[in-house]
Amino acid sequence: MDATGTPASQSFIQQEARHGARNYAPVPVVVDHAKDCLVWDVEGREYIDMMSAYSSVSHGHLHPRIVAAAHRQLEKVAVMSRAYYGTTLGPLLEKLSEVTGFERALPMNTGAEAVETAIKCARRWGHRIKGIPDGMQKILVARGNFHGRTSTIVGFSSEVEYRAGFGPFCDGFQHFDFGDMASVKAAATEHTCAVLIEPIQGEAGVIVPPAGFFQELREWCTRNDILLIDDEVQAGLGRTGKWFAFEHEGIRPDALILGKALGAGLLPVSAFCADERVMQVFVPNSHGSTFGGNALAAAVALEGLKVLQEEGLVEHCAEKGAYLFQRLREVQAQVAPLIRDVRGRGLWIGVDIEPSCTTARDLVERLAANGVLSKETHDTVIRFAPPLTITFDLMDRAVDIFHRVAREKHQELGLGTRAGSANGVKATV
Ligand SMILES: *Cc1c(COP(=O)(O)O)cnc(C)c1O
């Protein structure tokens, strides 16, 4: 019986359906508890977490060192607001400087808030430092972007469902095609103060930019006195096999946005990081957040960064990611043409399903029914992004299950046979 057919699961699912807004369509698995890379549902079934809450659980669920740090802080103080100083925020900011190379950081809670912080910073910098008339500042954003869900941010999304009916939207954003320098140049004006961009477009389907794009973008931004703001809410802190995805490109942005894994799997913690020449635009009363940088969040984030450093999770990610990528490519070859692409970097891999065969969601639900948690993005991409603590053994188990599920689908569709082509599925080798 699958999760939806059992009484305990069913009652939780129905309760959410009855009383919640319908803004999510969860995979029907009711999680009761989790440890590192494994998750158990209310019926006690075990799952391998190949999703890690979109990178938020990069350290694995409830990492003992991070839980211990939280407990220690809970014996002292959790929330005071930034009206006073504390003993954990300073150490976190110093550690962030050390790992990012940026002089300063501004702590917020969710990723979207850190993006909003970046937008405000870029505009004020554009006016006060670059000399653009206030109210005229423009920020360039990529088509297919995902930077969060506030009304300002969805206003510059190119995704219909993120925007429909939510207008009026905020002015001051212009679009370019991700990875296309000519398109960036065409979108820019003398009022452009910043480019806001993801190093790899996650929600868009794990889209890796063409080689050299970011270097060209970096040079062009420098030449035109435009800030390059890198949203690494999902890509940052080891996910791609380096501390930050910009390192793959051989560049350094002017500002960096972090979130998700910064909360080390326990809390929402985000940050906007930049050097003094950019961060100087914030003065007392210009920006803030009641919970941003609270004592508990800072203690947890600091321990999370130390764990990444001391357990070598970033270095391991590169090696494990290469292995997972290779194994998924092997599956692709064996179930052609069901999978049309496997792409990604580090432990962040999108498996792109041939739409004439089935949807990503169909396979995600079959995977869940077989003990592997993944998540679709758009209709065709399955995202595999396990905790960085994943073992080779667990990756093998997950890929074997994926292979079986894909092969079953393949057989159902009658692919690899004459019937396959008769069904209108293009047979590619
Ligand atoms: C998830 C995400 C955000 C938004 O973070 P929230 O914590 O959901 O507000 C912003 N940018 C990117 C690239 C993300 O992946």
Side-chain angles (χ1 to χ4, degrees):
M1 210 183 294
D2 72 2
T4 49
T6 55
S9 290
Q10 208 39 265
S11 87
F12 286 111
I13 289 171
Q14 281 166 3
Q15 198 171 32
E16 286 194 21
R18 226 171 20 247
H19 300 290
R22 297 188 197 83
N23 58 327
Y24 278 95
V27 177
V29 172
V30 180
V31 175
D32 180 70
H33 60 285
K35 188 178 192 327
D36 197 6
C37 301
L38 294 176
V39 169
W40 291 270
D41 70 12
V42 284
E43 274 84 25
R45 275 177 300 247
E46 184 179 290
Y47 301 82
I48 304 169
D49 187 353
M50 295 294 284
M51 220 286 269
S52 66
Y54 305 97
S55 275
S56 304
V57 185
S58 281
H59 301 73
H61 291 277
L62 302 175
H63 191 291
R65 270 184 64 179
I66 298 162
V67 170
H71 279 149
R72 281 197 303 278
Q73 191 56 38
L74 282 169
E75 298 287 321
K76 298 177 79 183
V77 63
V79 175
M80 283 296 291
S81 89
R82 294 289 302 278
Y84 312 97
Y85 293 92
T87 62
T88 58
L89 181 56
L92 170 64
L93 297 173
E94 187 178 84
K95 180 60 80 178
L96 274 172
S97 269
E98 177 199 325
V99 301
T100 65
F102 287 102
E103 292 164 1
R104 296 181 183 277
L106 193 162
M108 298 294 280
N109 310 283
T110 64
E113 290 171 298
V115 171
E116 290 279 352
T117 303
I119 291 167
K120 287 168 79 174
C121 184
R123 288 174 172 170
R124 192 177 259 197
W125 179 91
H127 175 54
R128 295 196 177 164
I129 312 287
K130 189 170 173 177
I132 303 168
D134 196 15
M136 304 288 280
Q137 305 94 316
K138 297 273 189 278
I139 297 174
L140 302 186
V141 292
R143 291 195 180 83
N145 71 70
F146 183 83
H147 297 287
R149 298 286 199 165
T150 66
S151 55
T152 294
I153 293 171
V154 298
F156 61 81
S157 170
S158 50
E159 199 60 35
V160 174
E161 202 37 43
Y162 294 178
R163 297 165 51 90
F166 296 141
F169 298 117
C170 196
D171 216 358
F173 298 95
Q174 272 156 344
H175 289 90
F176 62 87
D177 294 326
F178 186 72
D180 179 351
M181 214 38 231
S183 164
V184 174
K185 290 175 184 164
T189 71
E190 59 183 324
H191 294 144
T192 303
C193 60
V195 174
L196 170 64
I197 190 168
E198 299 156 85
I200 290 176
Q201 291 190 314
E203 298 310 298
V206 194
I207 311 293
V208 180
F213 169 70
F214 270 93
Q215 254 167 27
E216 255 193 280
L217 181 63
R218 170 71 278 177
E219 283 159 24
W220 178 83
C221 283
T222 305
R223 230 175 16 252
N224 293 283
D225 202 18
I226 290 167
L227 297 178
L228 177 51
I229 302 176
D230 180 18
D231 180 352
E232 299 219 11
V233 168
Q234 200 163 156
L237 302 175
R239 175 57 52 192
T240 65
K242 293 197 184 281
W243 270 83
F244 303 103
F246 68 73
E247 296 171 60
H248 291 284
E249 312 294 343
I251 63 146
R252 185 171 180 271
D254 298 302
L256 179 68
I257 305 168
L258 299 177
K260 294 198 168 106
L262 189 57
L266 258 55
L267 292 169
V269 186
S270 65
F272 173 71
C273 307
D275 287 338
E276 171 63 11
R277 79 178 178 91
V278 174
M279 200 68 99
Q280 61 171 308
V281 301
F282 288 124
V283 294
N285 285 323
S286 60
H287 189 54
S289 160
T290 304
F291 286 94
N294 72 72
L296 180 61
V300 162
L302 175 62
E303 192 66 14
L305 292 173
K306 287 183 183 167
V307 165
L308 283 179
Q309 277 184 322
E310 290 163 23
E311 297 191 357
L313 292 181
V314 181
E315 298 75 24
H316 294 165
C317 171
E319 192 193 345
K320 291 170 184 172
Y323 179 76
L324 182 60
F325 186 82
Q326 186 50 40
R327 288 234 41 208
L328 289 168
R329 272 283 163 92
E330 284 161 22
V331 175
Q332 179 190 19
Q334 287 172 40
V335 297
L338 182 61
I339 298 170
R340 62 177 174 184
D341 195 19
V342 177
R343 53 180 181 256
R345 229 166 228 167
L347 283 170
W348 194 15
I349 299 177
V351 173
D352 202 336
I353 304 303
E354 166 58 43
S356 62
C357 292
T358 186
T359 59
R361 177 69 182 216
D362 172 29
L363 295 176
V364 163
E365 291 191 2
R366 288 165 186 244
L367 278 169
N370 285 279
V372 173
L373 299 183
S374 62
K375 186 71 175 80
E376 81 278 6
T377 178
H378 295 281
D379 290 336
T380 68
V381 181
I382 304 175
R383 177 174 11 204
F384 291 112
L388 307 185
T389 52
I390 191 101
T391 59
F392 286 91
D393 178 52
L394 278 177
M395 286 193 290
D396 277 337
R397 270 170 57 190
V399 175
D400 289 346
I401 291 167
F402 178 59
H403 191 182
R404 197 172 76 230
V405 162
R407 204 168 50 224
E408 280 164 13
K409 187 77 211 177
H410 197 255
Q411 280 160 4
E412 266 175 48
L413 291 165
L415 292 171
T417 66
R418 280 168 177 279
S421 352
N423 285 341
V425 179
K426 202 167 65 201
T428 53
V429 189

